[in-house]
Amino acid sequence: MRPIQIWADKAQDKERDSLCIYDMVFQPDGDQLLVAAGTRILVYNVNEGNVVQALKGHKDTIYSLSYGRDGIFASGGADKLVIIWSAQMEGILKYSHNDSVQCIAFSPVSGQLLSCASSDIGLWSSELKSVTKHKVSAKVCSCSWTNDGQFFAIGMYSGVVTIWTKNAEEKVRIERPGGHPIWSLSWNPSREDAYDVLTVTDWGQKLSYFQLNGKQIGKDRNLDFDPCCVSYFSSGEFAVIAGSNKKALLYSREGAMLGTIAEGKSWVWCCCQRPGQNFVAIGFEDGTIGYYQLSFNTVHGLYKDRYAFREHMTDVMVQHLFTDEKVKIKCRDHIKKIAVYKNRLAVQLTDRIIVYEVTSDEPTDMQYKVKEKISKHVECSLLVVCSENIVLCLEKRLQSLSFSGEKIREWVMESQIRYIKVVGGPPGREGLLVGLKNGQVMKVFVDNPFPVVLLKHQNSVRCLDLSASRTKLAIVDERNTLLVYDAVSKELLYQEPKANSVAWNTSCEDMLCYSGEGMLSIKANNFSTHQQRQQGFVVGFTGSKIFCLDFFAMTCVDVPQSAPMIQYLERKLYKDAYKIGCLGVTEGDWNTLALEALEGMDFDISKKAFHRLRDLRFLELIHSIEERKRRGETNNQLFLPDVLAYQGKFSEAAKLYKQGGQPEKAMEMYTDLRQFDKAKEFVVTTDKNVKQLVTKQADWFKTTNDPQAACDMYVAAGEYLKAVDIMGENGWVDRIIGLVHDLDKASQSNELLYKCATYLKNHSQYSYAAEVYEKLKDIKSLVSMYVSIQQWNEAFSLAMQHPEFKDDVYTPYATWLVENDKFDEAQEALNKAGRQNEAIHLLEQLAENAIKESRFDDAGFYYWMLTKSALESARKEAQGEANQQTMGIHKENFYKFKELSEVYYVYHHIRRYTDQPFTSLLPEALMNMSRFLAHKIITKVPPGVSQVAVYLTLAKQSKTVGAFKLARYAYEKLKTLRIPGHLQEAIDMGCVTVRSKPFMDKEDLLPMCYRCSTTNQLFNTAGAICSNCRQPFVFSFVSFEVLPVVEFFLAEGISDDEAMKLIQMEAPRRSKNQGWKEVEQGNTQVLKLDEEGDGKDGDPFTRLLNTLHSTNGEFFRVVVDRETLQAMHRTEVIVKKWGAPIGNQYYQSLIPDISIAICRNCNQLFHSDDYEMQILAKDCCPFCRRAVDST
């Protein structure tokens, strides 16, 4: 950092006495500077340094100034007044305090003004035009607002710092040790920090930093003087602190001292920075006003693709020039020198040198860690780092230090060292290139005490560099002349004027770049120079990238190497041109190189260039030439026609082909070019050549969208496959049929016939396609065609004639049936195809999909279909060699699917009731259905069935019909479930209202067991069975009322066929003197039917029921013998005929007057009236959907 004084002035009163400058402030645009000098405000033009206006308004010394929004500013001083000034420098209002005004500050975001006196503070608002005052405990010395204007801090003479809200509420109180006056404080204006930072200086000569909550950041820093002012730059990166040391010092934001800006003969009371610029104004106690510009020097280092530079004086930025990745290293101290070499980075600070290294060997790794610290204060003009050493340059001396700080070696030169650079070498033995003021160029090895003189130049060295192989040395002297020497012979190769820096290309030995007078010059070998405009100094040259330093910015310039490459091509130096091209040229340049090398018969370079271009056409040409050379062709002139033809020089190529005895190649070339007239000039009259030419011409007609001519020519040339393709693509079906009929058997290949059949089929000429397939005897393709066009009868006929294609017919037929909702037929088709497992899987998938889509009636139907499938599989297993394990699985599936079909059939009605606003079902039916489901889901809930829907329906309908006990049970169950939000309120209300009802169910709703005549509760946790005899209830599958039937079983030895015969026999007449009798069974009174007399004429089934009683909750099945079966009336017996191996189910109707109907397809029982109503409404069984004429 270097300060430059722009102008200075001295404030005096009328008697020429000096006036202390207590405060100063820049206008927001920075054009004018306001200075508080005595009782006046001096307005300076900062560009000229003269006073343009002096403002009067105060009667005593002015202590503080502050600018606000819209150009207004304020002043306060010893006369206890605060004056608000307009942008036109006119006083617009004033207000007073009880004591002298020590400091003032405008909010940065609003028009609020903070004024601080010895005993109070005031807040004035431009919107309200009023002042609110608040007492303080001590004299206020300084104040400052946060960036967002929400808080302000004040520093007191008692050593206390307080932070207030903008509404004057004290938030934080900080008491500094020692109680020294806080003469200056300021918030950092940076908006990039995560939190606000308050800078506090006190007359205990301490510098401290605090957060908004009062927490101190880091430790106190010693200043060694009494600070009177602290002022931040607009960016917040630097601060100026001044005071009793008579100096204005520049500090970093972390508190590191970076240098002296100005030094006077008296205390410095104020300082401020010009907004957005590196200019600082300083006011002294003796009235001196200084205006300074700060110049920040560039401190940087470069090695190949890594560039390190100083940022904000205390940070190191390392930039990868290729990837543009950057990493910041915070040193928190004044950085003086930077050096980079390979994976090393050296940084010289005020009192130490820190050496960093990259954490990994990756070439793009940018993570650095500290390797060594050399705690030594050193003064040097240049700094270089090597793998194991630090090299310091001090005028004529070079010193090599180890990373521990020990001095290893020293070299003393004849003259002052002007330039030094590391040129590489083994670790610990690197070489340094040194340029001296007397023109000597030295080479120094860090492990050798003797420097080597490379050459002696007559002028002072300004810049120098060695080529990649160290055979050439480039020097720029103080006369801005570039000189290139042979490093071995010391011979001057060439020189160029107007150069200020130079760099060799690290990837090319003979190429360098130099800069000067705003131009960038690239020179290859001893050829002419290529120039372009570019400001700055060249510091590196790698490949096609040139690195230029322009003031503080490093720019990477991509320069195509077209001009140097063309210079090499002009001299037929193809290998050197290729090397230049590898540095970076355009595709056009690569094409030029490839063609030039090809014409020069340098196939190796040409092939490499075409590889770069990915030009397969020319690569194939080169490959064919190389193959011919391997076969013994050594005359390069024989390859020239091909090269000319590929370059478009067709006439020349044709002449050379003919001269070389290869006219057929000329014909082929012109044929490919569609120049058939020229091709005929080179035709050798043979059938093969004529056919080839005709075929080529047909190809051309096809390409030019003349299919008719192309087809005719293909037929003429015997290319029938290509002709058929054109016929088929254009829909010329008649021509295809005619071709099939007209061709002789020798020309009718299978491939041709198949192609004809395919096109005929695509154009819906199925009969002709079938004729072709029959000619080919390809039954499989014929079957496939009939299936694809859904001509099932023809497909079935073929399947009967050829059983091996049954699967090819019936499987797609089943798929088609499923798509058309014909599931029974689809299942039958799959069974015919022998794919029973697929038929079952089809139904299972349909059922699962129906559940997911909430189509529960369809789900019940599909599970009924699965029930029938399982029954059929069990029957087949029983008819063959029965596998007990397999049969057991089928029987298990039968009962499982049957129960699921019943559950989903019932749940469909429940779901319709809960989801739709209206229902056609009576409340008793809905209650019975939900009660049926509630019994089914006691142990396991099937997928898709909502317990909430079931119990909610049960609760509502039970409450409606008067079954309050059941309703209360349902509501209690609902409490244990997760209820949807839209139902919660209704369920909570139902739970409350049902408690007002009697805890009992209506007697006429209670189901009676027709076996033991016991009246049961509406809900049994053991299931839908009698609580006394455990007999399962049988429900009507419409209203779901309990039917008056009792299931009975056949005694051992009675088959289903015999039982049916006995039942069909005419039963003996019953005695008419029967009656009801009340008897006691244990603790229960039972009303039962009794026969008078000795009982011989009574009903045997009724007597059997009277003898069976349940004990200890066990269930005894009703088993009947032959006599009982014969005594039954056939109209009172209901049989569910399942067949083997499930067997029949038998039921006795105990109240014959109640008519019961049964569906012979699904074996479900119904009240006859309900069943007939459903038949009339749906024309099918409500459960299994079998049509009425089939039930």
Side-chain angles (χ1 to χ4, degrees):
M1 186 274 299
R2 182 168 61 91
I4 303 171
Q5 187 177 49
I6 305 301
W7 55 262
D9 195 12
K10 195 161 188 177
Q12 297 175 336
D13 58 13
K14 294 181 180 180
E15 288 76 22
R16 297 288 181 177
D17 293 331
S18 299
L19 298 175
C20 179
I21 307 302
Y22 283 108
D23 201 4
M24 56 176 53
V25 63
F26 278 98
Q27 277 186 344
D29 59 9
D31 290 338
Q32 291 183 339
L33 174 68
L34 275 61
V35 178
T39 60
R40 297 180 301 163
I41 300 175
L42 303 180
V43 182
Y44 280 86
N45 183 327
V46 295
N47 296 322
E48 302 295 335
N50 59 323
V51 177
V52 297
Q53 194 174 355
L55 305 180
K56 298 179 181 179
H58 287 275
K59 299 178 181 179
D60 206 342
T61 304
I62 301 173
Y63 288 148
S64 184
L65 298 171
S66 179
Y67 252 104
R69 298 187 309 169
D70 303 326
I72 66 171
F73 63 95
S75 59
D79 58 357
K80 306 177 185 179
L81 290 179
V82 176
I83 300 178
I84 311 298
W85 305 78
S86 70
Q88 290 74 32
M89 307 292 178
E90 298 175 353
I92 52 178
L93 64 87
K94 64 175 68 175
Y95 65 87
S96 63
H97 282 267
N98 295 328
D99 297 297
S100 61
V101 178
Q102 300 295 316
C103 56
I104 59 176
F106 267 106
S107 169
V109 297
S110 67
Q112 200 169 17
L113 173 66
L114 169 66
S115 57
C116 304
S118 299
S119 59
D120 61 0
I121 62 173
L123 286 172
W124 173 81
S125 173
S126 61
E127 288 81 8
L128 300 177
K129 307 296 183 184
S130 62
V131 181
T132 59
K133 296 181 180 178
H134 305 272
K135 291 291 184 180
V136 292
S137 59
K139 177 181 178 180
V140 179
C141 299
S142 55
C143 63
S144 178
W145 287 88
T146 56
N147 295 327
D148 57 5
Q150 299 298 312
F151 302 91
F152 61 85
I154 59 175
M156 302 184 184
Y157 192 83
S158 60
V160 175
V161 178
T162 56
I163 300 176
W164 303 59
T165 66
K166 66 177 182 179
N167 299 321
E169 298 176 358
E170 185 175 332
K171 178 184 177 183
V172 178
R173 185 180 182 87
I174 304 170
E175 296 185 2
R176 299 287 294 146
H180 302 288
I182 310 298
W183 212 259
S184 182
L185 55 76
S186 178
W187 293 96
N188 191 321
S190 173
R191 298 183 181 274
E192 297 179 359
D193 295 331
Y195 50 83
D196 293 309
V197 177
L198 176 65
T199 304
V200 177
T201 60
D202 61 35
W203 277 19
Q205 300 186 351
K206 301 292 184 184
L207 170 64
S208 308
Y209 297 94
F210 295 89
Q211 295 182 19
L212 186 61
N213 58 10
K215 181 179 179 181
Q216 186 170 354
I217 304 171
K219 299 180 180 179
D220 293 340
R221 293 151 176 85
N222 292 320
L223 294 176
D224 297 329
F225 63 91
D226 293 333
C228 296
C229 62
V230 56
S231 176
Y232 268 101
F233 278 47
S234 303
S235 63
E237 295 297 336
F238 305 109
V240 182
I241 303 177
S244 63
N245 62 345
K246 306 177 183 179
K247 298 178 181 179
L249 304 177
L250 184 67
Y251 282 79
S252 70
R253 62 186 300 164
E254 290 89 8
M257 206 278 283
L258 304 178
T260 301
I261 299 174
E263 184 173 0
K265 298 179 180 179
S266 62
W267 285 26
V268 180
W269 275 101
C270 60
C271 57
C272 61
Q273 180 248 351
R274 186 173 178 177
Q277 300 185 37
N278 294 334
F279 292 89
V280 177
I282 301 171
F284 293 85
E285 187 179 14
D286 61 2
T288 301
I289 303 166
Y291 184 60
Y292 298 85
Q293 180 181 9
L294 303 186
S295 175
F296 294 94
N297 299 327
T298 303
V299 177
H300 63 101
L302 173 71
Y303 181 78
K304 291 187 178 180
D305 53 8
R306 291 178 186 262
Y307 175 60
F309 61 94
R310 180 178 68 181
E311 186 179 57
H312 306 314
M313 303 291 287
T314 59
D315 299 336
V316 177
M317 292 291 295
V318 184
Q319 177 183 1
H320 196 288
L321 296 175
F322 288 165
T323 64
D324 203 32
E325 182 181 358
K326 295 181 181 179
V327 62
K328 178 184 285 189
I329 302 174
K330 288 184 172 291
C331 297
R332 294 182 173 82
D333 199 353
H334 184 195
I335 297 172
K336 294 185 175 182
K337 297 287 186 299
I338 296 175
V340 183
Y341 178 69
K342 292 185 178 179
N343 64 338
R344 296 282 191 266
L345 170 66
V347 181
Q348 181 190 2
L349 304 177
T350 306
D351 55 356
R352 64 193 183 279
I353 298 175
I354 301 178
V355 180
Y356 298 86
E357 69 174 356
V358 181
T359 57
S360 71
D361 296 331
E362 291 292 329
T364 58
D365 185 20
M366 297 292 287
Q367 300 300 319
Y368 284 86
K369 66 178 180 180
V370 177
K371 178 176 177 60
E372 296 288 347
K373 291 183 180 180
I374 304 175
S375 300
K376 179 185 293 187
H377 176 76
V378 295
E379 290 294 340
C380 64
S381 57
L382 297 171
L383 175 69
V384 173
V385 63
C386 301
S387 298
E388 299 175 0
N389 307 83
I390 294 288
V391 180
L392 307 176
C393 176
L394 301 92
E395 295 295 332
K396 298 181 181 181
R397 293 183 296 118
L398 287 178
Q399 287 185 353
S400 175
L401 305 180
S402 67
F403 287 161
S404 61
E406 179 184 355
K407 183 170 130 177
I408 300 175
R409 190 166 287 106
E410 182 176 274
W411 302 269
V412 180
M413 306 299 172
E414 296 179 1
S415 177
Q416 181 182 353
I417 299 171
R418 295 288 302 274
Y419 190 88
I420 184 171
K421 180 178 183 179
V422 184
V423 293
R429 301 173 59 190
E430 289 88 355
L432 307 177
L433 194 63
V434 181
L436 304 183
K437 188 175 182 179
N438 63 2
Q440 279 190 339
V441 178
M442 315 287 291
K443 194 169 186 180
V444 178
F445 294 93
V446 295
D447 63 334
N448 193 323
F450 304 104
V452 179
V453 179
L454 291 181
L455 59 86
K456 177 71 172 66
H457 183 58
Q458 58 185 357
N459 296 317
S460 175
V461 175
R462 183 174 180 178
C463 179
L464 51 85
D465 195 13
L466 268 177
S467 63
S469 61
R470 304 180 187 178
T471 60
K472 296 179 182 179
L473 175 65
I475 300 174
V476 176
D477 61 19
E478 62 182 3
R479 295 184 178 180
N480 294 337
T481 302
L482 167 66
L483 303 103
V484 177
Y485 292 89
D486 187 304
V488 179
S489 65
K490 311 298 189 295
E491 177 188 358
L492 178 63
L493 301 178
Y494 56 86
Q495 65 181 24
E496 297 287 341
K498 300 177 183 179
N500 56 24
S501 62
V502 66
W504 285 99
N505 195 317
T506 58
S507 303
C508 182
E509 171 69 17
D510 296 326
M511 183 178 293
L512 60 77
C513 179
Y514 63 92
S515 60
E517 297 187 357
M519 299 299 293
L520 191 65
S521 303
I522 303 171
K523 189 174 181 64
N525 209 323
N526 201 15
F527 306 146
S528 59
T529 303
H530 172 69
Q531 293 184 328
Q532 67 182 56
R533 291 193 174 276
Q534 179 68 42
Q535 298 293 329
F537 296 87
V538 172
V539 294
F541 191 8
T542 300
S544 63
K545 295 182 182 295
I546 299 176
F547 306 117
C548 295
L549 180 64
D550 186 14
F551 292 99
F552 305 106
M554 176 68 74
T555 57
C556 179
V557 182
D558 280 313
V559 289
Q561 304 294 337
S562 305
M565 190 189 77
I566 296 299
Q567 291 172 334
Y568 280 108
L569 286 178
E570 290 173 352
R571 292 162 177 79
K572 307 295 184 182
L573 301 174
Y574 301 118
K575 290 185 179 179
D576 294 326
Y578 178 77
K579 291 179 182 178
I580 298 298
C582 291
L583 301 181
V585 293
T586 64
E587 287 193 5
D589 294 331
W590 278 114
N591 189 61
T592 301
L593 171 60
L595 294 177
E596 290 279 349
L598 187 59
E599 289 184 2
M601 296 300 165
D602 191 338
F603 299 118
D604 184 44
I605 296 299
S606 180
K607 182 165 65 173
K608 290 180 180 178
F610 282 125
H611 267 298
R612 291 264 186 173
L613 294 170
R614 298 182 180 178
D615 193 327
L616 298 180
R617 193 167 59 93
F618 274 99
L619 287 173
E620 289 176 357
L621 171 63
I622 296 172
H623 177 72
S624 66
I625 292 174
E626 289 177 342
E627 286 293 326
R628 290 163 62 184
K629 290 180 72 174
R630 277 194 288 269
R631 290 196 298 266
E633 295 185 35
T634 57
N635 187 358
N636 288 338
Q637 296 305 316
L638 296 177
F639 310 135
L640 189 56
D642 292 340
V643 174
L644 293 174
Y646 270 74
Q647 293 186 58
K649 301 174 182 179
F650 305 115
S651 298
E652 299 175 19
K655 291 178 181 178
L656 291 176
Y657 279 133
K658 192 171 184 180
Q659 291 174 6
Q662 297 176 325
E664 66 278 1
K665 285 195 173 183
M667 184 201 74
E668 183 180 352
M669 177 186 70
Y670 280 122
T671 302
D672 291 338
L673 293 171
R674 307 298 188 263
Q675 297 178 11
F676 298 104
D677 293 336
K678 291 185 178 181
K680 293 176 182 178
E681 297 176 4
F682 297 91
V683 172
V684 179
T685 310
T686 62
D687 292 340
K688 180 180 179 182
N689 290 337
V690 173
K691 181 178 179 181
Q692 181 182 1
L693 182 60
V694 173
T695 303
K696 291 284 186 178
Q697 193 167 3
D699 292 338
W700 180 72
F701 280 130
K702 181 180 178 182
T703 306
T704 55
N705 293 326
D706 190 353
Q708 184 74 36
C711 182
D712 293 339
M713 299 203 75
Y714 278 133
V715 172
E719 294 287 347
Y720 299 117
L721 290 174
K722 294 183 179 181
V724 169
D725 282 332
I726 294 177
M727 296 174 188
E729 291 169 2
N730 291 276
W732 299 336
V733 178
D734 295 338
R735 296 197 63 174
I736 295 177
I737 297 171
L739 185 65
V740 172
H741 290 162
D742 295 341
L743 290 179
D744 54 10
K745 292 184 179 180
S747 301
Q748 293 179 352
S749 65
N750 287 346
E751 183 181 3
L752 175 61
L753 291 176
Y754 272 118
K755 184 163 287 194
C756 292
T758 301
Y759 282 118
L760 290 170
K761 181 176 67 174
N762 292 341
H763 291 288
S764 303
Q765 299 296 324
Y766 303 115
S767 58
Y768 291 110
E771 180 183 343
V772 176
Y773 283 132
E774 289 174 357
K775 184 180 290 188
L776 288 167
K777 298 181 180 180
D778 188 351
I779 304 302
K780 184 172 183 180
S781 297
L782 187 57
V783 168
S784 177
M785 183 187 72
Y786 283 137
V787 168
S788 64
I789 62 177
Q790 297 177 2
Q791 292 186 3
W792 302 114
N793 293 331
E794 290 80 356
F796 295 153
S797 176
L798 285 173
M800 292 179 62
Q801 298 174 20
H802 305 277
E804 65 271 17
F805 298 114
K806 278 177 120 180
D807 185 50
D808 296 328
V809 174
Y810 287 105
T811 300
Y813 178 58
T815 305
W816 178 79
L817 291 171
V818 169
E819 292 173 353
N820 290 275
D821 297 334
K822 299 180 179 180
F823 302 108
D824 290 339
E825 294 88 340
Q827 188 181 15
E828 182 180 351
L830 286 172
N831 288 328
K832 286 183 178 180
R835 298 192 176 191
Q836 287 80 9
N837 292 334
E838 289 188 16
I840 295 174
H841 177 71
L842 168 66
L843 290 172
E844 288 178 343
Q845 190 64 46
L846 288 171
E848 291 177 7
N849 293 341
I851 294 171
K852 291 177 182 177
E853 297 170 3
S854 299
R855 294 184 290 106
F856 298 104
D857 54 341
D858 291 336
F861 174 69
Y862 294 141
Y863 274 116
W864 165 243
M865 298 293 291
L866 284 168
T867 305
K868 290 174 61 178
S869 178
L871 179 61
E872 186 64 25
S873 299
R875 286 175 181 169
K876 290 182 178 179
E877 195 69 33
Q879 292 172 1
E881 296 181 2
N883 185 326
Q884 295 300 323
Q885 183 177 0
T886 305
M887 185 182 296
I889 293 174
H890 292 319
K891 292 175 69 175
E892 182 182 349
N893 288 337
F894 169 80
Y895 292 114
K896 179 182 73 172
F897 292 146
K898 181 175 179 295
E899 183 173 0
L900 287 173
S901 66
E902 294 174 353
V903 167
Y904 287 116
Y905 166 76
V906 178
Y907 185 66
H908 163 68
H909 298 286
I910 299 297
R911 190 61 178 265
R912 287 185 63 186
Y913 165 71
T914 58
D915 292 351
Q916 298 179 5
F918 303 105
T919 180
S920 60
L921 297 174
L922 296 174
E924 290 85 356
L926 282 171
M927 183 196 73
N928 290 333
M929 289 180 179
S930 56
R931 189 164 61 89
F932 173 84
L933 277 181
H935 284 115
K936 290 289 186 181
I937 64 175
I938 290 175
T939 58
K940 183 179 180 180
V941 182
V945 175
S946 169
Q947 296 185 71
V948 173
V950 173
Y951 286 113
L952 180 60
T953 305
L954 182 60
K956 285 185 176 182
Q957 301 308 318
S958 300
K959 186 178 177 183
T960 301
V961 301
F964 302 116
K965 183 177 180 181
L966 180 60
R968 185 175 295 190
Y969 170 78
Y971 279 120
E972 291 299 325
K973 287 292 290 184
L974 284 170
K975 287 183 179 180
T976 65
L977 304 175
R978 180 180 295 176
I979 307 299
H982 66 282
L983 297 176
Q984 187 66 54
E985 184 177 355
I987 291 174
D988 292 342
M989 182 63 69
C991 290
V992 174
T993 56
V994 77
R995 294 181 180 275
S996 64
K997 305 298 181 180
F999 188 62
M1000 60 181 295
D1001 299 325
K1002 275 187 172 182
E1003 290 187 5
D1004 58 345
L1005 298 175
L1006 300 178
M1008 186 184 73
C1009 175
Y1010 289 96
R1011 172 175 172 176
C1012 65
S1013 303
T1014 301
T1015 301
N1016 288 263
Q1017 295 298 322
L1018 287 171
F1019 190 80
N1020 187 354
T1021 57
I1025 60 176
C1026 175
S1027 59
N1028 179 43
C1029 65
R1030 318 296 287 180
Q1031 177 70 32
F1033 292 120
V1034 180
F1035 297 93
S1036 169
F1037 260 67
V1038 173
S1039 63
F1040 281 83
E1041 296 178 352
V1042 177
L1043 294 173
V1045 297
V1046 175
E1047 184 179 8
F1048 61 88
F1049 299 86
L1050 303 179
E1052 187 175 356
I1054 302 176
S1055 65
D1056 286 334
D1057 293 338
E1058 183 182 357
M1060 292 302 298
K1061 291 179 181 179
L1062 293 173
I1063 292 171
Q1064 293 298 326
M1065 294 175 63
E1066 185 177 355
R1069 296 183 179 180
R1070 300 176 184 174
S1071 175
K1072 294 185 178 180
N1073 45 349
Q1074 298 174 352
W1076 293 90
K1077 181 179 180 182
E1078 184 177 317
V1079 298
E1080 292 187 1
Q1081 294 181 358
N1083 297 326
T1084 305
Q1085 292 181 347
V1086 179
L1087 183 66
K1088 66 178 184 177
L1089 189 65
D1090 191 19
E1091 295 103 4
E1092 294 180 357
D1094 58 1
K1096 291 181 181 179
D1097 297 331
D1099 182 6
F1101 187 79
T1102 305
R1103 291 199 306 271
L1104 179 62
L1105 292 181
N1106 293 334
T1107 60
L1108 295 175
H1109 301 290
S1110 176
T1111 59
N1112 299 326
E1114 295 182 6
F1115 171 63
F1116 294 99
R1117 299 197 304 178
V1118 179
V1119 180
V1120 299
D1121 54 14
R1122 291 179 176 85
E1123 179 184 355
T1124 307
L1125 285 171
Q1126 187 175 359
M1128 292 179 175
H1129 198 283
R1130 59 175 173 267
T1131 60
E1132 299 175 4
V1133 178
I1134 303 171
V1135 182
K1136 293 184 178 180
K1137 298 180 181 180
W1138 298 112
I1142 302 299
N1144 294 345
Q1145 287 181 278
Y1146 300 90
Y1147 297 89
Q1148 171 69 38
S1149 175
L1150 298 182
I1151 305 179
D1153 294 338
I1154 297 177
S1155 178
I1156 299 172
I1158 182 172
C1159 173
R1160 288 304 176 189
N1161 182 51
C1162 60
N1163 285 327
Q1164 294 292 359
L1165 302 181
F1166 307 87
H1167 282 301
S1168 294
D1169 294 341
D1170 295 339
Y1171 185 65
E1172 290 173 2
M1173 288 295 294
Q1174 291 294 319
I1175 292 297
L1176 291 174
K1178 299 180 179 180
D1179 200 27
C1180 63
C1181 172
F1183 182 79
C1184 68
R1185 303 184 184 179
R1186 179 59 65 90
V1188 64
D1189 55 353
S1190 302
T1191 57

